Structure formats: C-alpha cells, structure tokens
Amino acid sequence: MVIQTIRKKRPLPARQLAEMYDVTPRTIMRWAAQTRADWIDEQAAGREAIRAYHDDDGHSWTQTAKHFHLSLSTVKERA
C-alpha cells in the first residue's frame, strides 16, 4: 500500500480519521504531518500580520490582541 502524504492540517481529529481508514492514529499523524519549513513559513506570516496590523495600521496592542484572538502578552511576544 503506497500512501502519499497530505502535508496539511487535518480536517478531523486523528482518532476519527484512523477509524475511517482502519489505521492507527499515529499513522494519520504521519500522513498529515506539516513539514518544518511550512510550519516556519506559517509562523513568519502570522508574525508579519501581527506586526503590520499594529505598526502599519496603527492599532493598539489591545486591539491587535482582540483582532487575532490572542492574549496581549502573546501578541507582544510574537511581534
């Protein structure tokens, strides 16, 4: 059986997908694992979005935290 890796976030929990495909949850995690490079790029894009919203658009830290549904300290740390 040849399995091609999906390389994106799972639409359902691993346990549910494992039951659907009759494999273990760990196998589902391997199939759908995001590459480190993709994860790093995703995090960088998120940090840039936070920085742009706060610095370029002139919003306060509190407004930025509410916009991104994060805590104030998390937003400041990521920016």
Side-chain angles (χ1 to χ4, degrees):
M1 180 165 131
V2 176
I3 300 299
Q4 182 178 3
T5 303
I6 300 167
R7 300 284 184 213
K8 62 181 180 179
K9 293 186 179 181
R10 294 186 306 271
L12 297 169
R15 180 168 290 164
Q16 283 181 330
L17 289 170
E19 289 172 2
M20 290 169 53
Y21 291 102
D22 195 31
V23 295
T24 66
R26 182 65 192 122
T27 300
I28 295 295
M29 288 180 211
R30 264 195 313 277
W31 287 352
Q34 193 175 24
T35 64
R36 182 156 179 83
D38 289 346
W39 182 82
I40 289 171
D41 291 343
E42 184 179 289
Q43 295 302 309
R47 285 191 303 272
E48 177 56 27
I50 290 171
R51 189 211 54 79
Y53 188 83
H54 178 262
D55 295 343
D56 298 344
D57 296 345
H59 294 92
S60 70
W61 285 117
T62 305
Q63 291 170 329
T64 304
K66 286 180 182 177
H67 177 78
F68 288 99
H69 305 289
L70 298 169
S71 70
L72 184 62
S73 61
T74 300
V75 167
K76 288 181 178 181
E77 189 175 303
R78 289 186 183 178

